[in-house]
Amino acid sequence: MVSAATQRAKAPATVPHPSGTPVKKAVSLVAILAVLTAAGPLAIDMYVPGFPEMKDSLHASSSAIQLTMTAILAGLVVGQLIIGPISDSIGRRKLLIGGVIGYTVMSLVCALAPNTGVLTAGRFLQGVAGAAGMVLARAILTDCFQGRDLPRYFALLAQILGAAPVVAPIVGGAVLAVSAWRMVFVALAAIGAVLTIVVVIRVPETLPPERRHKGGLSGTFRSMGGLTRHRTFIGYVLVLSFSSAALFAYVSGSAFVFESLHGFSPTSYAMVFAVNAIGMLMAGAVFGKLAHRVPLNTLLLTGVGIAVAGALAQVLLVAAIGETVAGSWISLFVVTTGIGLIFPASMSLGQALGRATPGAASALMGGVQFLLGAVASPLVGLFGESTSMPMAVIMLVSLALSGFALLALSRPWLRQGEAHHHDVPPPVH
């Protein structure tokens, strides 16, 4: 064994695959990957409370400010689709370091932006850079772990993805309480700077040359094309992505439902949002406990069923008796709880099927996830704001499509992607 001092003196060592990773080192690595996963969602939502001030400060329209949100979502999609496959060919560490540095620099560019044009461009590039942490976190987990450990760690990443949209506006609001909107981006730059230091010191290369995809970058992208022809894998991608579309619709529409329709204050709405997020976190924790005893496909099917039931209840309640606080809150809590099972289960199964090229698999899962989320988010407002029905219907349709993809493409009764299944390619050593 090489001592820790020797490791620091030399180039970063490669993490053993998988059980050779010491427990403390594994916990430390997973914690860092969790924070990297949160960086993108934090950048999406932290500045939302500052929209009115930004509109006045930059002399811009509401649509121009909203475009900056679209820009970062587009950047996260593009970044994941590019960075993930490339990492299968050249390794993870250099791309990850470049990503966190780029995230830091682009956050500063946004903080100093003189107009919405520069801000929009900065947000897009911030999204591209931030995508590195998200897509490579999943790939690194797949490099380092397998068997019962992997679903548990994916559950943690899924919980972070669920919690970050809740925490981000609260943190952003706290910054805005003492300073101007530009300081939100300074705070993001500070997070990026800390992550840069941590990644350089603590995250080793997890994909050694002998396990990298051969055939150059063109071959790597061809391998991603091959994944798109894998019926079961694409099914898991669509299950995750349509469920994300439902979650984005909820995030974009729930404030209107509780504040405008039911008269909640922003603080009271934050409590509702937090309670529903707790449901999602609890489901993720339950998944982590059950993943080594219950088939992952069973947990995924259960999550989809729970989420569909919650969305259907919301639609039926609004249609039958109108808007009610209890009906909306309970229905949405059920939906977010179901999604809390869907996210880690679909990630684990998809990455297991794509283990031969985990960067490409992660790119497709994350890229399509944010693409459908970005499409679903503005639809809630587009169909009117006099009732919660548009949000409820969009969520129900999205989750129904998620269920259809699961049954028609992934066919959970075949249990493909399970750790014991012959369709799971062995790790490449």
Side-chain angles (χ1 to χ4, degrees):
M1 260 323 252
V2 182
S3 69
T6 305
Q7 281 189 345
R8 284 193 294 269
K10 297 180 179 180
T14 299
V15 172
H17 183 299
S19 58
T21 307
V23 173
K24 288 185 178 179
K25 188 174 183 180
V27 171
S28 173
L29 177 63
V30 172
I32 294 168
L33 296 179
V35 178
L36 287 166
T37 298
L42 284 175
I44 294 172
D45 293 323
M46 259 182 70
Y47 79 137
V48 170
F51 273 14
E53 182 188 349
M54 293 171 67
K55 179 181 173 182
D56 295 337
S57 173
L58 296 173
H59 307 290
S61 64
S62 296
S63 60
I65 299 299
Q66 186 63 42
L67 184 61
T68 65
M69 174 75 79
T70 305
I72 188 171
L73 290 171
L76 285 168
V77 172
V78 172
Q80 290 187 81
L81 291 176
I82 293 174
I83 294 169
I86 291 175
S87 73
D88 286 334
S89 181
I90 69 172
R92 321 291 188 205
R93 180 175 160 82
K94 291 179 181 178
L95 289 169
L96 187 57
I97 292 173
V100 289
I101 291 174
Y103 181 88
T104 304
V105 172
M106 286 302 113
S107 296
L108 290 175
V109 168
C110 292
L112 300 172
N115 52 56
T116 55
V118 174
L119 181 60
T120 301
R123 290 289 278 169
F124 174 78
L125 294 174
Q126 184 187 39
V128 172
M134 301 178 70
V135 71
L136 295 178
R138 293 188 294 267
I140 290 170
L141 279 184
T142 310
D143 290 339
C144 298
F145 306 100
Q146 61 183 7
R148 65 179 58 183
D149 288 330
L150 190 58
R152 185 170 74 248
Y153 293 142
F154 273 126
L156 176 60
L157 296 193
Q159 288 174 298
I160 294 298
L161 281 173
V166 181
V167 173
I170 297 172
V171 174
V175 173
L176 289 166
V178 297
S179 188
W181 66 267
R182 295 181 186 276
M183 286 304 297
V184 172
F185 291 103
V186 173
L188 288 170
I191 292 171
V194 172
L195 280 175
T196 300
I197 296 170
V198 171
V199 168
V200 169
I201 295 174
R202 300 299 301 273
V203 180
E205 178 58 68
T206 59
L207 189 68
E210 63 271 17
R211 288 175 46 214
R212 292 176 189 174
H213 194 276
K214 304 301 186 290
L217 295 181
S218 61
T220 300
F221 280 98
R222 280 197 300 273
S223 72
M224 186 165 73
L227 284 173
T228 65
R229 296 186 292 274
H230 192 307
R231 170 177 173 168
T232 306
F233 174 79
I234 287 301
Y236 292 136
V237 169
L238 293 177
V239 170
L240 173 65
S241 301
F242 280 122
S243 299
S244 294
L247 184 63
F248 271 75
Y250 159 71
V251 170
S252 65
S254 57
F256 159 75
V257 170
F258 287 100
E259 293 185 27
S260 299
L261 292 183
H262 298 306
F264 279 41
S265 68
T267 303
S268 298
Y269 164 67
M271 181 186 69
V272 172
F273 204 91
V275 168
N276 290 353
I278 288 171
M280 191 172 181
L281 296 175
M282 289 173 58
V286 169
F287 173 88
K289 294 289 186 181
L290 296 178
H292 66 285
R293 297 199 300 267
V294 179
L296 298 187
N297 278 286
T298 300
L299 293 173
L300 179 56
L301 186 61
T302 301
V304 171
I306 291 172
V308 169
L312 180 60
Q314 172 73 355
V315 170
L316 294 177
L317 284 171
V318 174
I321 62 176
E323 307 288 349
T324 63
V325 172
S328 294
W329 194 343
I330 293 172
S331 298
L332 293 172
F333 180 85
V334 172
V335 171
T336 54
T337 300
I339 291 174
L341 288 175
I342 294 170
F343 276 18
S346 55
M347 285 182 190
S348 299
L349 291 164
Q351 287 292 150
L353 287 178
R355 179 174 285 281
T357 52
S362 179
L364 283 170
M365 299 199 81
V368 179
Q369 176 187 13
F370 274 87
L371 177 62
L372 292 190
V375 170
S377 185
L379 290 180
V380 176
L382 187 64
F383 286 106
E385 297 184 343
S386 59
T387 170
S388 65
M389 187 62 84
M391 180 190 74
V393 169
I394 291 168
M395 292 177 67
L396 178 59
V397 170
S398 298
L399 290 166
L401 290 171
S402 178
F404 177 78
L406 178 61
L407 296 175
L409 298 176
S410 295
R411 298 164 294 178
W413 55 89
L414 298 179
R415 296 179 62 178
Q416 296 185 75
E418 303 285 349
H420 68 278
H421 197 277
H422 62 80
D423 275 2
V424 181
V428 180
H429 293 281

